[in-house]
Protein backbone atom coordinates (compact mmCIF):
# COMPACT_ATOMS: atom_id res chain seq x y z
CA UNK A 1 0.00 0.00 0.00
CA UNK A 2 1.34 3.44 -0.95
CA UNK A 3 1.78 6.00 1.83
CA UNK A 4 1.11 9.34 0.10
CA UNK A 5 2.95 11.27 2.82
CA UNK A 6 6.18 9.56 1.79
CA UNK A 7 5.90 10.49 -1.87
CA UNK A 8 7.60 13.30 -3.68
CA UNK A 9 5.39 15.25 -6.04
CA UNK A 10 6.76 13.43 -9.09
CA UNK A 11 6.10 10.05 -7.48
CA UNK A 12 2.59 11.14 -6.52
CA UNK A 13 1.84 12.22 -10.07
CA UNK A 14 2.98 8.82 -11.32
CA UNK A 15 0.78 7.00 -8.79
CA UNK A 16 -2.16 9.26 -9.61
CA UNK A 17 -1.74 8.76 -13.34
CA UNK A 18 -1.78 4.98 -12.91
CA UNK A 19 -4.77 4.98 -10.58
CA UNK A 20 -6.85 7.40 -12.63
CA UNK A 21 -5.93 6.20 -16.11
CA UNK A 22 -9.27 4.57 -16.70
CA UNK A 23 -11.19 7.51 -15.28
CA UNK A 24 -9.58 10.35 -17.17
CA UNK A 25 -11.84 9.70 -20.15
CA UNK A 26 -14.79 10.84 -18.00
CA UNK A 27 -15.89 14.41 -17.22
CA UNK A 28 -13.80 14.46 -14.02
CA UNK A 29 -10.85 15.41 -16.20
CA UNK A 30 -12.14 18.97 -16.14
CA UNK A 31 -12.06 18.86 -12.35
CA UNK A 32 -8.55 17.46 -12.14
CA UNK A 33 -7.28 20.15 -14.47
CA UNK A 34 -8.14 22.90 -11.99
CA UNK A 35 -7.08 21.23 -8.77
CA UNK A 36 -3.50 22.53 -8.77
CA UNK A 37 -3.03 24.09 -5.36
CA UNK A 38 -0.63 26.52 -3.72
CA UNK A 39 -1.09 27.29 -0.03
CA UNK A 40 0.94 29.83 1.95
CA UNK A 41 1.62 28.51 5.46
CA UNK A 42 -0.93 25.77 5.50
CA UNK A 43 -1.50 22.09 5.30
CA UNK A 44 -3.65 19.70 3.31
CA UNK A 45 -4.59 16.10 3.82
CA UNK A 46 -1.63 15.01 1.71
CA UNK A 47 1.78 16.38 2.72
CA UNK A 48 4.27 15.68 -0.02
CA UNK A 49 7.83 14.75 0.77
CA UNK A 50 9.98 17.61 -0.47
CA UNK A 51 13.24 17.22 -2.37
CA UNK A 52 16.26 17.28 -0.08
CA UNK A 53 17.38 20.86 0.37
CA UNK A 54 20.59 22.00 -1.25
CA UNK A 55 22.51 24.95 0.20
CA UNK A 56 25.13 27.39 -1.10
CA UNK A 57 28.66 26.45 -0.10
CA UNK A 58 30.38 29.77 -0.79
CA UNK A 59 28.24 32.35 1.03
CA UNK A 60 30.17 34.97 2.98
CA UNK A 61 28.30 36.17 6.05
CA UNK A 62 26.92 39.69 5.66
CA UNK A 63 28.42 40.09 2.17
CA UNK A 64 26.13 40.22 -0.87
CA UNK A 65 26.94 37.87 -3.74
CA UNK A 66 25.20 37.27 -7.06
CA UNK A 67 23.14 34.11 -7.42
CA UNK A 68 25.06 33.21 -10.57
CA UNK A 69 28.29 32.89 -8.56
CA UNK A 70 26.92 30.43 -5.99
CA UNK A 71 28.11 26.86 -5.75
CA UNK A 72 25.75 24.31 -4.24
CA UNK A 73 26.00 21.28 -2.00
CA UNK A 74 24.45 19.20 -4.77
CA UNK A 75 23.64 19.69 -8.46
CA UNK A 76 21.02 22.39 -8.91
CA UNK A 77 18.09 21.61 -11.22
CA UNK A 78 14.71 23.17 -12.00
CA UNK A 79 13.22 20.84 -9.37
CA UNK A 80 15.65 21.76 -6.58
CA UNK A 81 14.77 22.81 -3.05
CA UNK A 82 16.97 25.90 -2.63
CA UNK A 83 17.74 26.74 0.99
CA UNK A 84 19.75 29.93 1.50
CA UNK A 85 21.05 28.85 4.90
CA UNK A 86 24.21 30.22 6.51
CA UNK A 87 23.53 33.96 6.77
CA UNK A 88 23.50 34.26 2.98
CA UNK A 89 23.12 37.66 1.34
CA UNK A 90 22.19 37.04 -2.29
CA UNK A 91 21.13 39.21 -5.22
CA UNK A 92 19.16 37.38 -7.92
CA UNK A 93 21.05 38.35 -11.07
CA UNK A 94 19.44 35.69 -13.28
CA UNK A 95 16.10 33.96 -13.78
CA UNK A 96 15.67 30.84 -11.64
CA UNK A 97 13.26 27.88 -11.72
CA UNK A 98 12.98 25.66 -8.66
CA UNK A 99 10.62 23.67 -6.49
CA UNK A 100 11.28 25.49 -3.21
CA UNK A 101 12.84 28.77 -2.12
CA UNK A 102 13.68 28.77 1.60
CA UNK A 103 15.01 31.93 3.28
CA UNK A 104 15.88 31.13 6.92
CA UNK A 105 16.75 33.58 9.67
CA UNK A 106 19.94 35.55 9.11
CA UNK A 107 19.66 35.40 5.32
CA UNK A 108 18.45 38.06 2.90
CA UNK A 109 17.54 37.63 -0.75
CA UNK A 110 17.17 40.58 -3.12
CA UNK A 111 15.01 39.84 -6.14
CA UNK A 112 16.70 42.26 -8.54
CA UNK A 113 14.85 42.19 -11.87
CA UNK A 114 14.87 38.38 -12.11
CA UNK A 115 11.93 36.05 -12.70
CA UNK A 116 11.61 33.27 -10.13
CA UNK A 117 9.42 30.35 -11.17
CA UNK A 118 8.45 28.36 -8.09
CA UNK A 119 6.48 25.13 -8.38
CA UNK A 120 5.95 24.38 -4.70
CA UNK A 121 7.06 26.45 -1.69
CA UNK A 122 8.11 30.06 -1.21
CA UNK A 123 9.25 29.84 2.39
CA UNK A 124 10.40 32.75 4.52
CA UNK A 125 11.39 31.63 7.99
CA UNK A 126 12.51 34.82 9.75
CA UNK A 127 14.80 35.72 6.88
CA UNK A 128 14.26 38.68 4.56
CA UNK A 129 12.90 38.82 1.02
CA UNK A 130 13.41 42.16 -0.75
CA UNK A 131 11.49 41.94 -4.04
CA UNK A 132 12.94 45.01 -5.81
CA UNK A 133 11.48 44.72 -9.37
CA UNK A 134 11.42 40.93 -9.55
CA UNK A 135 8.63 38.67 -10.79
CA UNK A 136 7.53 35.49 -9.02
CA UNK A 137 5.57 32.97 -11.08
CA UNK A 138 3.75 30.39 -8.98
CA UNK A 139 3.55 27.53 -11.43
CA UNK A 140 1.85 24.57 -9.76
CA UNK A 141 2.64 21.13 -11.17
CA UNK A 142 0.70 18.77 -8.89
CA UNK A 143 -2.70 17.35 -9.81
CA UNK A 144 -4.07 18.10 -6.36
CA UNK A 145 -2.88 18.51 -2.78
CA UNK A 146 0.30 20.45 -3.57
CA UNK A 147 1.24 23.36 -1.40
CA UNK A 148 3.47 26.41 -1.44
CA UNK A 149 4.29 27.65 2.00
CA UNK A 150 5.52 30.93 3.46
CA UNK A 151 6.41 30.19 7.08
CA UNK A 152 7.37 32.51 9.90
CA UNK A 153 7.81 36.15 9.01
CA UNK A 154 10.23 38.73 7.71
CA UNK A 155 12.94 38.83 10.35
CA UNK A 156 10.44 37.56 12.90
CA UNK A 157 8.75 40.99 12.90
CA UNK A 158 5.42 40.14 11.28
CA UNK A 159 3.70 38.11 8.59
CA UNK A 160 3.63 40.60 5.69
CA UNK A 161 5.51 39.46 2.59
CA UNK A 162 5.89 41.87 -0.35
CA UNK A 163 5.98 40.77 -3.97
CA UNK A 164 6.57 43.23 -6.81
CA UNK A 165 5.12 41.26 -9.72
CA UNK A 166 3.28 37.95 -9.37
CA UNK A 167 2.05 35.72 -12.19
CA UNK A 168 -0.51 32.92 -11.78
CA UNK A 169 -0.21 30.76 -14.93
CA UNK A 170 -2.90 28.57 -16.45
CA UNK A 171 -4.18 25.87 -14.06
CA UNK A 172 -2.12 27.10 -11.10
CA UNK A 173 -3.94 27.95 -7.87
CA UNK A 174 -2.63 30.26 -5.14
CA UNK A 175 -3.72 30.99 -1.57
CA UNK A 176 -2.05 34.21 -0.43
CA UNK A 177 -2.64 33.65 3.28
CA UNK A 178 -4.85 34.89 6.11
CA UNK A 179 -2.37 36.92 8.13
CA UNK A 180 -2.49 36.39 11.89
CA UNK A 181 -6.27 36.25 12.30
CA UNK A 182 -6.16 32.82 13.89
CA UNK A 183 -6.83 31.01 10.62
CA UNK A 184 -4.22 29.14 8.64
CA UNK A 185 -2.36 29.81 6.43
CA UNK A 186 -0.67 32.59 8.40
CA UNK A 187 1.25 34.41 5.67
CA UNK A 188 0.13 37.86 4.52
CA UNK A 189 0.94 38.89 0.97
CA UNK A 190 1.16 42.41 -0.37
CA UNK A 191 1.31 43.07 -4.13
CA UNK A 192 3.26 46.26 -4.75
CA UNK A 193 3.13 46.43 -8.56
CA UNK A 194 1.05 43.79 -10.35
CA UNK A 195 -0.77 40.50 -10.00
CA UNK A 196 -1.33 38.97 -13.43
CA UNK A 197 -3.94 36.26 -13.80
CA UNK A 198 -2.77 34.25 -16.82
CA UNK A 199 -5.49 31.64 -16.51
CA UNK A 200 -4.83 30.47 -12.94
CA UNK A 201 -6.91 31.05 -9.82
CA UNK A 202 -6.66 32.49 -6.31
CA UNK A 203 -8.44 30.53 -3.59
CA UNK A 204 -9.50 31.22 0.01
CA UNK A 205 -7.41 34.35 0.65
CA UNK A 206 -6.56 37.22 -1.66
CA UNK A 207 -3.49 39.44 -1.28
CA UNK A 208 -3.47 43.07 -0.28
CA UNK A 209 -2.96 45.46 -3.20
CA UNK A 210 -0.69 48.43 -2.56
CA UNK A 211 -1.71 51.87 -3.77
CA UNK A 212 -0.85 52.18 -7.46
CA UNK A 213 -0.69 48.42 -8.07
CA UNK A 214 -2.67 46.67 -10.82
CA UNK A 215 -4.71 43.47 -10.98
CA UNK A 216 -4.31 42.27 -14.57
CA UNK A 217 -6.39 39.69 -16.44
CA UNK A 218 -4.51 38.40 -19.47
CA UNK A 219 -5.47 34.96 -20.75
CA UNK A 220 -6.79 33.20 -23.85
CA UNK A 221 -10.27 33.92 -25.16
CA UNK A 222 -13.20 32.11 -23.54
CA UNK A 223 -16.60 31.91 -25.25
CA UNK A 224 -18.24 32.22 -21.82
CA UNK A 225 -16.57 34.91 -19.68
CA UNK A 226 -14.55 33.62 -16.73
CA UNK A 227 -16.05 34.67 -13.41
CA UNK A 228 -13.98 36.93 -11.18
CA UNK A 229 -12.52 34.89 -8.32
CA UNK A 230 -11.06 35.42 -4.86
CA UNK A 231 -8.34 37.68 -6.26
CA UNK A 232 -10.97 40.47 -6.45
CA UNK A 233 -12.90 40.58 -3.18
CA UNK A 234 -16.50 41.75 -3.20
CA UNK A 235 -16.58 44.72 -0.86
CA UNK A 236 -17.10 48.44 -0.81
CA UNK A 237 -14.61 48.76 2.03
CA UNK A 238 -11.35 50.26 0.81
CA UNK A 239 -9.01 48.88 3.45
CA UNK A 240 -9.55 45.14 3.07
CA UNK A 241 -7.50 42.53 1.29
CA UNK A 242 -8.57 41.63 -2.19
CA UNK A 243 -9.80 45.09 -3.16
CA UNK A 244 -7.57 46.11 -6.08
CA UNK A 245 -6.29 49.56 -6.88
CA UNK A 246 -6.13 49.56 -10.69
CA UNK A 247 -7.69 46.76 -12.78
CA UNK A 248 -6.75 45.97 -16.37
CA UNK A 249 -8.47 43.48 -18.69
CA UNK A 250 -6.27 42.93 -21.72
CA UNK A 251 -5.22 40.53 -24.46
CA UNK A 252 -8.19 38.38 -25.42
CA UNK A 253 -9.38 37.98 -21.83
CA UNK A 254 -13.10 37.79 -21.16
CA UNK A 255 -14.01 38.29 -17.51
CA UNK A 256 -17.29 38.91 -15.72
CA UNK A 257 -19.17 38.72 -12.43
CA UNK A 258 -21.85 36.21 -13.41
CA UNK A 259 -25.16 36.90 -11.65
CA UNK A 260 -23.46 38.06 -8.45
CA UNK A 261 -25.47 40.26 -6.10
CA UNK A 262 -22.26 41.45 -4.42
CA UNK A 263 -20.74 44.88 -4.88
CA UNK A 264 -17.17 45.15 -6.20
CA UNK A 265 -14.78 48.09 -5.94
CA UNK A 266 -11.82 49.24 -8.03
CA UNK A 267 -10.00 51.96 -6.10
CA UNK A 268 -8.16 53.35 -9.13
CA UNK A 269 -8.68 53.11 -12.89
CA UNK A 270 -10.43 50.33 -14.79
CA UNK A 271 -8.85 49.77 -18.22
CA UNK A 272 -10.24 47.39 -20.85
CA UNK A 273 -7.86 47.04 -23.76
CA UNK A 274 -6.71 44.82 -26.59
CA UNK A 275 -4.62 45.09 -29.71
CA UNK A 276 -5.80 46.34 -33.10
CA UNK A 277 -2.95 44.63 -34.96
CA UNK A 278 -3.67 41.15 -33.58
CA UNK A 279 -7.44 41.80 -33.56
CA UNK A 280 -7.77 40.85 -29.89
CA UNK A 281 -9.65 42.71 -27.22
CA UNK A 282 -10.38 42.39 -23.54
CA UNK A 283 -13.98 42.12 -22.39
CA UNK A 284 -15.54 42.96 -19.03
CA UNK A 285 -19.11 41.65 -18.75
CA UNK A 286 -21.40 43.08 -16.05
CA UNK A 287 -24.60 42.28 -17.93
CA UNK A 288 -26.13 39.86 -15.43
CA UNK A 289 -24.77 41.02 -12.06
CA UNK A 290 -27.25 42.62 -9.67
CA UNK A 291 -24.61 44.17 -7.45
CA UNK A 292 -22.75 47.34 -8.36
CA UNK A 293 -19.26 47.81 -9.78
CA UNK A 294 -17.75 50.90 -8.18
CA UNK A 295 -14.75 52.52 -9.89
CA UNK A 296 -13.15 55.36 -7.95
CA UNK A 297 -10.96 56.51 -10.83
CA UNK A 298 -11.53 56.46 -14.59
CA UNK A 299 -13.01 53.81 -16.85
CA UNK A 300 -11.04 53.52 -20.10
CA UNK A 301 -12.45 51.26 -22.84
CA UNK A 302 -10.19 51.12 -25.89
CA UNK A 303 -8.45 54.02 -27.62
CA UNK A 304 -7.08 54.91 -31.04
CA UNK A 305 -4.44 52.19 -30.69
CA UNK A 306 -6.34 49.42 -28.93
CA UNK A 307 -9.86 48.10 -28.56
CA UNK A 308 -11.91 46.91 -25.61
CA UNK A 309 -15.43 45.83 -24.79
CA UNK A 310 -17.61 46.61 -21.79
CA UNK A 311 -20.93 44.74 -21.71
CA UNK A 312 -23.45 46.67 -19.63
CA UNK A 313 -26.68 45.44 -17.97
CA UNK A 314 -29.43 44.86 -20.51
CA UNK A 315 -32.48 44.95 -18.24
CA UNK A 316 -33.85 46.90 -15.31
CA UNK A 317 -33.18 45.53 -11.85
CA UNK A 318 -29.57 44.79 -12.66
CA UNK A 319 -26.51 46.35 -11.08
CA UNK A 320 -24.85 49.63 -12.01
CA UNK A 321 -21.42 50.84 -13.03
CA UNK A 322 -20.66 53.66 -10.60
CA UNK A 323 -17.73 55.86 -11.63
CA UNK A 324 -16.01 58.44 -9.44
Amino acid sequence: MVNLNDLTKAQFESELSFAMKGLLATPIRSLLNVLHVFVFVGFLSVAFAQPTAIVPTNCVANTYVNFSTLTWSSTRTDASNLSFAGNCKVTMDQDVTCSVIDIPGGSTIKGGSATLTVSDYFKINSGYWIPETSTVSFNSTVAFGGQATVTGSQGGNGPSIDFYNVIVPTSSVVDFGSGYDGTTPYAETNITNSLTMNGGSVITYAPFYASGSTLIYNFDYLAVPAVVGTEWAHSQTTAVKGVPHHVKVTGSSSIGFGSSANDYTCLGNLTISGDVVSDTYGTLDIENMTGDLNVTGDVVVGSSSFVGQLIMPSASGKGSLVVG
Side-chain angles (χ1 to χ4, degrees), residues 38-43 122-125 147-154 157-163 175-190 203-208 241:
F38 274 105
V39 179
F40 285 77
V41 198
F43 62 87
F122 197 106
K123 182 187 299 184
I124 301 177
N125 188 13
Q147 55 187 21
T149 304
V150 176
T151 59
S153 57
Q154 296 263 42
N157 295 322
S160 183
I161 308 300
D162 288 348
F163 291 101
D175 182 342
F176 285 112
S178 68
Y180 282 148
D181 69 354
T183 306
T184 58
Y186 290 130
E188 195 76 278
T189 302
N190 185 47
I203 60 170
T204 311
Y205 295 107
F208 279 100
K241 61 170 45 180

Side-chain angles (χ1 to χ4, degrees), residues 190-195 206-217 231-233 235 237-249 264-271 293-299 322:
N190 185 47
I191 304 296
T192 63
N193 188 61
S194 69
L195 169 61
F208 279 100
Y209 296 95
S211 178
S213 66
T214 305
L215 170 60
I216 301 171
Y217 294 95
E231 73 283 350
W232 190 345
S235 174
T237 304
T238 62
V240 300
K241 61 170 45 180
V243 176
H245 192 85
H246 301 307
V247 176
K248 185 174 184 179
V249 184
Y264 287 80
T265 297
C266 169
L267 297 174
N269 300 326
L270 170 62
T271 303
L293 174 57
N294 301 281
V295 180
T296 303
D298 297 327
V299 175
V322 182

Side-chain angles (χ1 to χ4, degrees), residues 153-174:
S153 57
Q154 296 263 42
N157 295 322
S160 183
I161 308 300
D162 288 348
F163 291 101
Y164 186 73
N165 293 323
V166 170
I167 297 173
V168 186
T170 299
S171 298
S172 291
V173 181
V174 182

